[in-house]
Amino acid sequence: MFAHVDINNCYVSCERLFNPTLENRVVVVLSNNDGCVIARSNEAKAIGIKMADAEFMVRQNLKENNAVIFSSNYALYADMSARLMNNLARYTYTLMVYSIDEAFLALGNLPGVDLEKHTAAISENVMRHTGLPITVGVGPTMALAKLANKAAKKQKKDYLVLDTGDKIDATVKDFPIEDVWGIGLQYYHKLIDFGVKTAQDFRELKADFVRQHMTVQGWRLHQELWGRPCNVVKDIAERSKGIESSQSFNSYQTELEPIEEAVSMHAATVALKLRQQQSMALTLTIYLRTNKHNVKHDQHYPSITVKVPFAANSTHQLTRVAVQAMRAIYQPGYNYLKCGVRATGIIPEGEVQFHLFTSYEHGREQQLAELMDTLNDRYGRGTLRLGSDSFERKWAMKQDYLSKQYTTNWKDILVAR
Protein backbone atom coordinates (compact mmCIF):
# COMPACT_ATOMS: atom_id res chain seq x y z
CA MET A 1 0.00 0.00 0.00
CA PHE A 2 1.07 3.56 -0.75
CA ALA A 3 -0.11 6.95 0.43
CA HIS A 4 0.08 10.08 -1.70
CA VAL A 5 0.08 13.36 0.23
CA ASP A 6 -0.02 16.89 -1.13
CA ILE A 7 -0.65 20.38 0.23
CA ASN A 8 -3.93 21.96 -0.84
CA ASN A 9 -3.21 25.10 -2.88
CA CYS A 10 0.35 24.91 -1.57
CA TYR A 11 1.73 28.42 -2.06
CA VAL A 12 -1.54 30.07 -1.05
CA SER A 13 -1.73 27.89 2.08
CA CYS A 14 1.81 28.92 3.05
CA GLU A 15 0.88 32.60 2.75
CA ARG A 16 -2.35 32.14 4.72
CA LEU A 17 -0.56 30.30 7.51
CA PHE A 18 1.18 33.51 8.60
CA ASN A 19 -1.63 35.89 7.64
CA PRO A 20 -5.04 34.53 8.76
CA THR A 21 -6.82 37.61 7.35
CA LEU A 22 -6.39 36.00 3.93
CA GLU A 23 -8.92 33.28 4.75
CA ASN A 24 -12.01 33.34 2.49
CA ARG A 25 -10.39 35.94 0.21
CA VAL A 26 -9.29 35.72 -3.41
CA VAL A 27 -5.53 35.00 -3.27
CA VAL A 28 -3.12 34.29 -6.13
CA VAL A 29 0.63 33.70 -6.28
CA LEU A 30 2.58 34.75 -9.36
CA SER A 31 5.51 33.11 -11.12
CA ASN A 32 9.02 34.45 -11.66
CA ASN A 33 9.01 38.16 -12.53
CA ASP A 34 5.31 38.25 -11.56
CA GLY A 35 4.43 36.92 -14.99
CA CYS A 36 1.53 34.51 -14.56
CA VAL A 37 -0.63 32.78 -11.96
CA ILE A 38 0.88 29.60 -10.50
CA ALA A 39 -1.26 29.16 -7.37
CA ARG A 40 -4.88 30.08 -6.60
CA SER A 41 -7.16 29.94 -3.62
CA ASN A 42 -10.51 28.22 -4.10
CA GLU A 43 -12.07 31.69 -4.13
CA ALA A 44 -9.80 32.67 -7.04
CA LYS A 45 -10.82 29.54 -8.94
CA ALA A 46 -14.47 30.45 -8.36
CA ILE A 47 -14.11 33.80 -10.16
CA GLY A 48 -12.55 32.13 -13.20
CA ILE A 49 -8.81 32.58 -12.56
CA LYS A 50 -7.00 29.73 -14.32
CA MET A 51 -3.58 28.26 -13.78
CA ALA A 52 -0.93 29.97 -15.95
CA ASP A 53 -3.14 32.98 -16.71
CA ALA A 54 -0.94 35.97 -17.52
CA GLU A 55 -1.10 38.57 -14.76
CA PHE A 56 -1.90 41.46 -17.10
CA MET A 57 -4.85 39.52 -18.57
CA VAL A 58 -6.55 38.89 -15.20
CA ARG A 59 -5.45 42.12 -13.51
CA GLN A 60 -8.85 43.81 -13.82
CA ASN A 61 -10.73 40.72 -12.60
CA LEU A 62 -8.45 40.48 -9.55
CA LYS A 63 -8.88 44.19 -8.81
CA GLU A 64 -12.67 44.01 -9.02
CA ASN A 65 -12.69 41.12 -6.54
CA ASN A 66 -10.32 42.80 -4.08
CA ALA A 67 -7.77 40.02 -4.57
CA VAL A 68 -4.51 39.71 -2.66
CA ILE A 69 -1.51 39.10 -4.93
CA PHE A 70 1.84 37.60 -3.94
CA SER A 71 5.15 37.12 -5.71
CA SER A 72 6.64 33.65 -5.32
CA ASN A 73 8.37 33.42 -1.94
CA TYR A 74 10.48 30.33 -2.58
CA ALA A 75 12.43 30.55 0.68
CA LEU A 76 9.19 30.34 2.67
CA TYR A 77 7.66 27.60 0.52
CA ALA A 78 10.79 25.43 0.59
CA ASP A 79 11.07 25.71 4.38
CA MET A 80 7.42 24.79 4.90
CA SER A 81 7.87 21.89 2.49
CA ALA A 82 10.77 20.61 4.59
CA ARG A 83 8.61 20.79 7.71
CA LEU A 84 5.89 18.81 5.94
CA MET A 85 8.31 16.09 4.82
CA ASN A 86 9.82 15.80 8.31
CA ASN A 87 6.33 15.26 9.73
CA LEU A 88 5.37 12.72 7.06
CA ALA A 89 8.50 10.68 7.77
CA ARG A 90 6.99 9.71 11.14
CA TYR A 91 4.33 7.61 9.45
CA THR A 92 6.38 5.49 7.05
CA TYR A 93 9.59 3.52 6.69
CA THR A 94 10.15 4.89 3.16
CA LEU A 95 9.32 8.46 2.10
CA MET A 96 9.73 9.60 -1.50
CA VAL A 97 9.60 13.38 -1.96
CA TYR A 98 7.95 13.85 -5.35
CA SER A 99 7.84 17.66 -5.52
CA ILE A 100 7.86 20.68 -3.23
CA ASP A 101 4.28 19.99 -2.11
CA GLU A 102 3.76 16.24 -2.51
CA ALA A 103 5.26 12.91 -1.47
CA PHE A 104 4.59 9.18 -1.53
CA LEU A 105 4.71 7.06 1.63
CA ALA A 106 5.18 3.28 1.62
CA LEU A 107 2.66 1.68 4.00
CA GLY A 108 2.86 -1.96 2.98
CA ASN A 109 4.89 -3.40 5.84
CA LEU A 110 3.18 -1.89 8.86
CA PRO A 111 1.87 -4.92 10.77
CA GLY A 112 -1.23 -4.45 12.87
CA VAL A 113 -1.97 -0.96 11.52
CA ASP A 114 -5.53 0.05 10.67
CA LEU A 115 -5.05 1.92 7.37
CA GLU A 116 -8.17 4.04 7.84
CA LYS A 117 -7.07 5.24 11.30
CA HIS A 118 -3.45 5.63 10.21
CA THR A 119 -4.48 7.80 7.26
CA ALA A 120 -6.78 9.90 9.44
CA ALA A 121 -3.89 10.41 11.89
CA ILE A 122 -1.63 11.61 9.08
CA SER A 123 -4.24 14.12 7.93
CA GLU A 124 -5.05 15.48 11.39
CA ASN A 125 -1.57 15.51 12.93
CA VAL A 126 0.22 17.10 9.97
CA MET A 127 -2.34 19.91 9.99
CA ARG A 128 -1.86 20.34 13.74
CA HIS A 129 1.96 20.30 13.59
CA THR A 130 2.54 22.39 10.46
CA GLY A 131 -0.68 24.35 9.92
CA LEU A 132 -0.77 23.18 6.30
CA PRO A 133 -4.00 21.62 4.95
CA ILE A 134 -3.27 18.36 3.14
CA THR A 135 -5.13 15.65 1.27
CA VAL A 136 -4.14 11.98 1.58
CA GLY A 137 -4.91 9.23 -0.92
CA VAL A 138 -4.11 5.58 -0.19
CA GLY A 139 -4.04 2.69 -2.65
CA PRO A 140 -2.20 -0.55 -3.48
CA THR A 141 -0.11 1.24 -6.16
CA MET A 142 1.32 4.73 -6.53
CA ALA A 143 -1.02 5.49 -9.43
CA LEU A 144 -4.08 4.45 -7.41
CA ALA A 145 -2.84 6.44 -4.40
CA LYS A 146 -2.56 9.52 -6.61
CA LEU A 147 -6.00 8.81 -8.05
CA ALA A 148 -7.42 8.41 -4.54
CA ASN A 149 -5.98 11.79 -3.60
CA LYS A 150 -7.68 13.53 -6.52
CA ALA A 151 -10.92 11.67 -5.86
CA ALA A 152 -10.84 12.82 -2.23
CA LYS A 153 -10.53 16.43 -3.40
CA LYS A 154 -13.48 16.01 -5.77
CA GLN A 155 -15.52 14.58 -2.88
CA LYS A 156 -14.27 17.37 -0.56
CA LYS A 157 -12.72 14.86 1.84
CA ASP A 158 -9.44 15.10 3.73
CA TYR A 159 -8.46 11.56 2.79
CA LEU A 160 -9.61 8.49 0.88
CA VAL A 161 -8.42 4.90 1.35
CA LEU A 162 -8.80 2.43 -1.54
CA ASP A 163 -7.99 -0.83 0.22
CA THR A 164 -10.53 -3.16 -1.39
CA GLY A 165 -11.43 -4.09 -4.95
CA ASP A 166 -14.94 -2.72 -4.55
CA LYS A 167 -13.68 0.68 -3.42
CA ILE A 168 -11.23 0.84 -6.33
CA ASP A 169 -13.88 -0.16 -8.88
CA ALA A 170 -16.34 2.42 -7.57
CA THR A 171 -13.72 5.21 -7.71
CA VAL A 172 -12.28 4.53 -11.18
CA LYS A 173 -15.74 4.02 -12.72
CA ASP A 174 -16.40 7.72 -13.43
CA PHE A 175 -12.91 9.13 -12.87
CA PRO A 176 -11.97 11.32 -15.90
CA ILE A 177 -9.10 9.87 -17.90
CA GLU A 178 -7.47 13.31 -18.23
CA ASP A 179 -7.05 13.46 -14.43
CA VAL A 180 -5.17 10.14 -14.23
CA TRP A 181 -1.51 10.48 -13.26
CA GLY A 182 0.69 10.06 -16.35
CA ILE A 183 -1.95 10.92 -18.97
CA GLY A 184 -0.59 13.93 -20.81
CA LEU A 185 -2.21 15.86 -23.65
CA GLN A 186 -0.86 13.54 -26.35
CA TYR A 187 -2.09 10.36 -24.67
CA TYR A 188 -5.39 12.03 -23.79
CA HIS A 189 -6.25 12.76 -27.43
CA LYS A 190 -5.14 9.28 -28.46
CA LEU A 191 -7.31 7.63 -25.80
CA ILE A 192 -10.31 9.78 -26.69
CA ASP A 193 -9.97 8.50 -30.26
CA PHE A 194 -10.13 4.97 -28.82
CA GLY A 195 -13.31 5.86 -26.93
CA VAL A 196 -11.62 6.01 -23.54
CA LYS A 197 -13.17 8.67 -21.29
CA THR A 198 -12.70 7.27 -17.78
CA ALA A 199 -10.09 5.36 -15.81
CA GLN A 200 -12.38 2.32 -15.99
CA ASP A 201 -12.48 2.55 -19.79
CA PHE A 202 -8.68 2.58 -19.79
CA ARG A 203 -8.50 -0.46 -17.50
CA GLU A 204 -10.76 -2.42 -19.87
CA LEU A 205 -8.26 -2.06 -22.72
CA LYS A 206 -6.09 -5.11 -23.33
CA ALA A 207 -2.57 -4.81 -21.90
CA ASP A 208 -0.91 -5.67 -25.25
CA PHE A 209 -2.97 -2.99 -26.99
CA VAL A 210 -1.90 -0.40 -24.41
CA ARG A 211 1.76 -1.33 -24.74
CA GLN A 212 1.56 -1.12 -28.52
CA HIS A 213 0.03 2.36 -28.56
CA MET A 214 1.43 3.90 -25.33
CA THR A 215 4.83 2.17 -24.90
CA VAL A 216 5.99 0.63 -21.64
CA GLN A 217 5.05 3.71 -19.58
CA GLY A 218 1.39 3.41 -20.58
CA TRP A 219 1.50 -0.33 -19.89
CA ARG A 220 2.85 0.30 -16.38
CA LEU A 221 0.06 2.77 -15.69
CA HIS A 222 -2.49 0.25 -16.95
CA GLN A 223 -1.10 -2.40 -14.60
CA GLU A 224 -1.05 0.01 -11.66
CA LEU A 225 -4.70 0.87 -12.14
CA TRP A 226 -5.40 -2.85 -11.74
CA GLY A 227 -3.52 -2.81 -8.43
CA ARG A 228 -0.23 -4.30 -9.68
CA PRO A 229 2.73 -2.13 -8.53
CA CYS A 230 5.16 -1.19 -11.31
CA ASN A 231 6.65 2.07 -9.99
CA VAL A 232 9.53 1.67 -7.56
CA VAL A 233 10.39 4.05 -4.73
CA LYS A 234 14.08 4.82 -5.17
CA ASP A 235 16.66 6.76 -3.28
CA ILE A 236 16.84 10.40 -4.28
CA ALA A 237 20.43 10.09 -5.53
CA GLU A 238 19.31 7.27 -7.86
CA ARG A 239 16.28 9.20 -9.08
CA SER A 240 18.12 12.41 -9.85
CA LYS A 241 18.80 12.71 -13.55
CA GLY A 242 19.87 16.29 -13.06
CA ILE A 243 19.81 19.25 -10.72
CA GLU A 244 19.06 22.63 -12.22
CA SER A 245 18.90 26.26 -11.15
CA SER A 246 17.61 28.90 -13.54
CA GLN A 247 15.79 32.20 -13.48
CA SER A 248 14.55 34.92 -15.79
CA PHE A 249 16.09 38.39 -15.42
CA ASN A 250 13.92 41.34 -14.41
CA SER A 251 14.96 43.07 -17.64
CA TYR A 252 16.96 42.27 -20.74
CA GLN A 253 20.68 41.80 -20.11
CA THR A 254 23.20 42.67 -22.80
CA GLU A 255 26.46 42.84 -20.83
CA LEU A 256 28.55 39.87 -19.73
CA GLU A 257 29.23 40.93 -16.12
CA PRO A 258 25.66 40.74 -14.72
CA ILE A 259 25.12 37.46 -16.57
CA GLU A 260 28.27 36.06 -14.94
CA GLU A 261 26.90 37.12 -11.54
CA ALA A 262 23.65 35.27 -12.23
CA VAL A 263 25.50 32.15 -13.37
CA SER A 264 27.60 32.28 -10.18
CA MET A 265 24.42 32.31 -8.09
CA HIS A 266 22.93 29.38 -10.01
CA ALA A 267 26.15 27.36 -9.76
CA ALA A 268 26.21 27.97 -5.98
CA THR A 269 22.58 26.83 -5.72
CA VAL A 270 23.30 23.64 -7.67
CA ALA A 271 26.37 22.95 -5.51
CA LEU A 272 24.31 23.37 -2.33
CA LYS A 273 21.61 20.97 -3.58
CA LEU A 274 24.28 18.41 -4.42
CA ARG A 275 25.77 18.64 -0.94
CA GLN A 276 22.34 18.37 0.67
CA GLN A 277 21.70 15.04 -1.07
CA GLN A 278 25.33 13.93 -0.56
CA SER A 279 26.04 13.74 -4.28
CA MET A 280 28.55 15.08 -6.75
CA ALA A 281 28.29 16.06 -10.42
CA LEU A 282 30.50 15.00 -13.32
CA THR A 283 29.17 17.47 -15.91
CA LEU A 284 27.61 20.94 -16.05
CA THR A 285 25.37 22.43 -18.72
CA ILE A 286 25.22 26.22 -18.91
CA TYR A 287 22.74 27.98 -21.17
CA LEU A 288 21.41 31.41 -22.17
CA ARG A 289 18.00 32.33 -23.59
CA THR A 290 16.57 35.33 -25.37
CA ASN A 291 12.82 36.02 -25.36
CA LYS A 292 11.26 33.74 -27.98
CA HIS A 293 7.99 35.69 -27.70
CA ASN A 294 9.59 38.97 -28.78
CA VAL A 295 9.86 38.67 -32.55
CA LYS A 296 11.43 42.13 -32.81
CA HIS A 297 14.66 40.86 -31.20
CA ASP A 298 17.21 38.53 -32.74
CA GLN A 299 17.06 35.11 -31.10
CA HIS A 300 19.98 33.24 -29.52
CA TYR A 301 19.81 30.06 -27.41
CA PRO A 302 23.41 29.00 -26.78
CA SER A 303 24.33 26.19 -24.39
CA ILE A 304 27.42 24.19 -23.58
CA THR A 305 28.05 21.01 -21.60
CA VAL A 306 31.45 20.68 -19.94
CA LYS A 307 33.04 17.94 -17.90
CA VAL A 308 34.07 18.86 -14.38
CA PRO A 309 37.76 17.89 -13.94
CA PHE A 310 36.78 15.75 -10.95
CA ALA A 311 33.27 15.04 -9.68
CA ALA A 312 32.48 17.92 -7.35
CA ASN A 313 29.86 19.60 -5.20
CA SER A 314 32.10 22.48 -4.13
CA THR A 315 30.67 25.96 -4.72
CA HIS A 316 34.11 27.26 -5.67
CA GLN A 317 34.83 24.47 -8.16
CA LEU A 318 31.43 24.44 -9.90
CA THR A 319 31.23 28.25 -10.07
CA ARG A 320 34.64 28.49 -11.73
CA VAL A 321 33.63 25.93 -14.37
CA ALA A 322 30.24 27.57 -14.94
CA VAL A 323 31.62 31.09 -15.36
CA GLN A 324 34.29 29.93 -17.80
CA ALA A 325 31.64 28.10 -19.81
CA MET A 326 29.38 31.16 -19.87
CA ARG A 327 32.21 33.27 -21.29
CA ALA A 328 32.53 30.74 -24.08
CA ILE A 329 28.89 30.93 -25.23
CA TYR A 330 28.07 34.59 -24.56
CA GLN A 331 27.82 36.82 -27.63
CA PRO A 332 27.29 40.60 -27.51
CA GLY A 333 24.40 42.18 -29.36
CA TYR A 334 21.61 40.00 -27.98
CA ASN A 335 18.94 40.78 -25.39
CA TYR A 336 19.21 37.85 -22.98
CA LEU A 337 16.25 37.12 -20.69
CA LYS A 338 17.29 33.95 -18.88
CA CYS A 339 20.26 31.81 -17.90
CA GLY A 340 20.68 28.55 -16.04
CA VAL A 341 23.03 25.86 -14.77
CA ARG A 342 22.22 22.14 -14.82
CA ALA A 343 24.31 19.40 -13.18
CA THR A 344 24.23 15.87 -14.59
CA GLY A 345 26.28 12.72 -14.23
CA ILE A 346 25.38 12.67 -10.54
CA ILE A 347 27.16 10.13 -8.33
CA PRO A 348 27.19 9.57 -4.55
CA GLU A 349 29.85 11.21 -2.44
CA GLY A 350 32.81 8.93 -1.83
CA GLU A 351 32.90 7.55 -5.37
CA VAL A 352 35.12 10.28 -6.83
CA GLN A 353 37.88 8.84 -9.04
CA PHE A 354 41.22 10.68 -8.80
CA HIS A 355 44.41 9.85 -10.68
CA LEU A 356 47.94 9.49 -9.39
CA PHE A 357 49.18 12.91 -10.49
CA THR A 358 46.22 15.05 -9.45
CA SER A 359 46.87 18.30 -7.62
CA TYR A 360 43.20 18.93 -6.81
CA GLU A 361 42.82 19.61 -3.08
CA HIS A 362 39.56 17.75 -2.56
CA GLY A 363 39.74 17.83 1.24
CA ARG A 364 40.30 21.59 1.34
CA GLU A 365 37.37 22.22 -1.02
CA GLN A 366 35.09 20.10 1.16
CA GLN A 367 36.15 21.92 4.33
CA LEU A 368 35.53 25.29 2.68
CA ALA A 369 32.06 24.18 1.49
CA GLU A 370 31.22 22.88 4.97
CA LEU A 371 32.26 26.21 6.50
CA MET A 372 30.08 28.17 4.04
CA ASP A 373 27.08 25.93 4.76
CA THR A 374 27.54 26.28 8.52
CA LEU A 375 27.69 30.08 8.41
CA ASN A 376 24.81 30.39 5.94
CA ASP A 377 22.64 28.03 7.98
CA ARG A 378 23.28 30.10 11.08
CA TYR A 379 23.06 33.63 9.71
CA GLY A 380 20.88 33.18 6.63
CA ARG A 381 21.40 31.91 3.11
CA GLY A 382 23.73 34.12 1.11
CA THR A 383 25.52 35.59 4.13
CA LEU A 384 28.80 34.16 2.83
CA ARG A 385 29.19 33.85 -0.93
CA LEU A 386 31.84 34.07 -3.62
CA GLY A 387 32.91 37.47 -4.90
CA SER A 388 31.60 36.65 -8.38
CA ASP A 389 28.05 36.54 -6.95
CA SER A 390 27.25 40.22 -6.42
CA PHE A 391 25.21 41.31 -3.39
CA GLU A 392 23.39 43.93 -5.49
CA ARG A 393 21.90 41.54 -8.04
CA LYS A 394 20.39 44.27 -10.20
CA TRP A 395 19.39 41.55 -12.66
CA ALA A 396 17.31 39.67 -10.03
CA MET A 397 13.74 38.80 -10.94
CA LYS A 398 10.86 41.19 -10.34
CA GLN A 399 9.02 40.52 -7.06
CA ASP A 400 6.71 43.47 -6.41
CA TYR A 401 4.35 41.50 -4.15
CA LEU A 402 6.83 39.50 -2.08
CA SER A 403 5.73 38.52 1.42
CA LYS A 404 8.05 38.20 4.40
CA GLN A 405 10.35 35.23 4.90
CA TYR A 406 8.69 34.33 8.18
CA THR A 407 10.72 31.20 8.93
CA THR A 408 14.11 31.85 7.29
CA ASN A 409 14.97 35.47 8.10
CA TRP A 410 15.41 36.74 11.67
CA LYS A 411 14.03 40.21 10.90
CA ASP A 412 10.82 38.73 9.43
CA ILE A 413 9.92 36.45 12.34
CA LEU A 414 6.48 37.23 13.75
CA VAL A 415 6.42 38.99 17.11
CA ALA A 416 3.74 38.20 19.71
CA ARG A 417 2.56 41.18 21.77
Side-chain angles (χ1 to χ4, degrees):
M1 300 296 290
F2 296 90
H4 175 259
V5 178
D6 71 349
I7 306 173
N8 302 333
N9 304 327
C10 177
Y11 294 171
V12 171
S13 294
C14 290
E15 298 290 355
R16 280 178 166 172
L17 180 59
F18 297 94
N19 188 354
T21 62
L22 299 176
E23 292 292 339
N24 302 318
R25 293 190 61 181
V26 176
V27 181
V28 298
V29 178
L30 303 178
S31 63
N32 290 350
N33 289 311
D34 298 340
C36 59
V37 176
I38 58 172
R40 308 158 293 162
S41 65
N42 291 333
E43 294 79 7
K45 298 174 185 178
I47 64 170
I49 304 299
K50 297 181 176 60
M51 189 68 77
D53 274 348
E55 184 274 337
F56 72 90
M57 294 182 65
V58 297
R59 187 178 300 161
Q60 186 60 33
N61 190 4
L62 293 173
K63 184 177 180 180
E64 291 173 356
N65 286 277
N66 195 28
V68 182
I69 303 172
F70 290 100
S71 302
S72 295
N73 189 340
Y74 296 119
L76 174 64
Y77 307 151
D79 186 64
M80 295 310 302
S81 172
R83 297 184 185 208
L84 170 70
M85 302 310 167
N86 286 336
N87 272 269
L88 292 178
R90 303 176 181 182
Y91 302 97
T92 180
Y93 51 90
T94 302
L95 175 71
M96 187 184 82
V97 179
Y98 188 67
S99 69
I100 191 171
D101 68 333
E102 57 183 323
F104 287 96
L105 290 72
L107 303 178
N109 295 323
L110 299 176
V113 170
D114 184 313
L115 272 180
E116 193 79 23
K117 293 181 179 179
H118 190 67
T119 305
I122 294 174
S123 176
E124 295 169 6
N125 292 338
V126 168
M127 176 62 179
R128 182 183 301 115
H129 296 153
T130 67
L132 297 172
I134 64 170
T135 302
V136 187
V138 175
T141 67
M142 295 171 71
L144 282 173
K146 184 96 171 178
L147 187 147
N149 187 299
K150 288 191 175 183
K153 285 186 171 70
K154 293 176 184 292
Q155 298 172 24
K156 296 184 178 180
K157 295 180 178 179
D158 294 330
Y159 63 89
L160 178 64
V161 178
L162 303 180
D163 55 353
T164 67
D166 290 342
K167 289 182 181 179
I168 294 172
D169 292 343
T171 304
V172 302
K173 181 179 179 181
D174 299 316
F175 195 87
I177 187 62
E178 62 268 26
D179 289 340
V180 173
W181 185 38
I183 300 297
L185 189 61
Q186 182 179 356
Y187 280 157
Y188 168 71
H189 289 302
K190 181 177 290 188
L191 290 172
I192 290 296
D193 291 340
F194 295 146
V196 175
K197 297 181 179 180
T198 67
Q200 179 59 33
D201 294 339
F202 181 64
R203 291 207 309 174
E204 291 175 353
L205 296 176
K206 292 185 177 180
D208 291 341
F209 179 87
V210 173
R211 187 158 192 164
Q212 177 184 354
H213 292 278
M214 298 178 65
T215 70
V216 68
Q217 296 299 326
W219 176 83
R220 287 176 178 170
L221 174 60
H222 183 263
Q223 295 298 297
E224 289 234 333
L225 290 180
W226 277 111
R228 306 177 187 122
C230 294
N231 289 308
V232 181
V233 178
K234 296 183 178 180
D235 181 77
I236 187 170
E238 297 175 346
R239 293 189 295 109
S240 291
K241 296 182 179 179
I243 293 177
E244 183 170 347
S245 177
S246 63
Q247 193 179 94
S248 297
F249 305 125
N250 61 9
S251 60
Y252 292 120
Q253 299 296 322
T254 58
E255 303 296 327
L256 178 59
E257 183 176 352
I259 295 176
E260 284 185 351
E261 293 175 359
V263 167
S264 295
M265 183 201 71
H266 293 313
T269 300
V270 167
L272 177 61
K273 291 180 179 179
L274 285 168
R275 293 195 295 273
Q276 288 174 339
Q277 70 171 45
Q278 298 180 331
S279 301
M280 292 190 170
L282 293 167
T283 55
L284 285 183
T285 298
I286 292 83
Y287 59 87
L288 274 168
R289 298 286 185 268
T290 51
N291 186 358
K292 65 180 180 180
H293 301 293
N294 192 333
V295 295
K296 296 181 181 179
H297 292 169
D298 293 333
Q299 302 299 312
H300 193 218
Y301 313 114
S303 68
I304 185 172
T305 299
V306 294
K307 190 177 184 303
V308 181
F310 300 101
N313 59 15
S314 159
T315 299
H316 175 261
Q317 178 76 351
L318 295 185
T319 299
R320 181 170 59 185
V321 172
V323 169
Q324 289 175 347
M326 177 55 65
R327 291 171 180 170
I329 63 173
Y330 165 80
Q331 291 187 24
Y334 291 99
N335 296 301
Y336 292 111
L337 187 62
K338 183 178 182 178
C339 72
V341 176
R342 180 168 59 251
T344 52
I346 297 174
I347 63 173
E349 282 184 342
E351 295 186 9
V352 184
Q353 184 73 38
F354 298 105
H355 60 70
L356 182 61
F357 304 103
T358 179
S359 59
Y360 177 55
E361 298 183 23
H362 176 72
R364 180 177 178 276
E365 291 288 348
Q366 292 304 109
Q367 291 176 356
L368 180 60
E370 183 178 344
L371 175 62
M372 290 182 66
D373 291 344
T374 300
L375 291 174
N376 287 330
D377 286 344
R378 182 172 182 178
Y379 297 106
R381 186 175 176 181
T383 299
L384 182 63
R385 64 179 77 168
L386 299 183
S388 57
D389 182 3
S390 170
F391 277 87
E392 296 183 2
R393 293 185 178 177
K394 297 179 179 179
W395 43 266
M397 64 181 177
K398 177 182 177 183
Q399 292 179 302
D400 289 343
Y401 310 102
L402 187 65
S403 59
K404 294 183 178 181
Q405 297 177 0
Y406 299 103
T407 64
T408 58
N409 192 321
W410 283 111
K411 67 180 181 181
D412 288 341
I413 291 179
L414 293 174
V415 177
R417 296 178 179 175

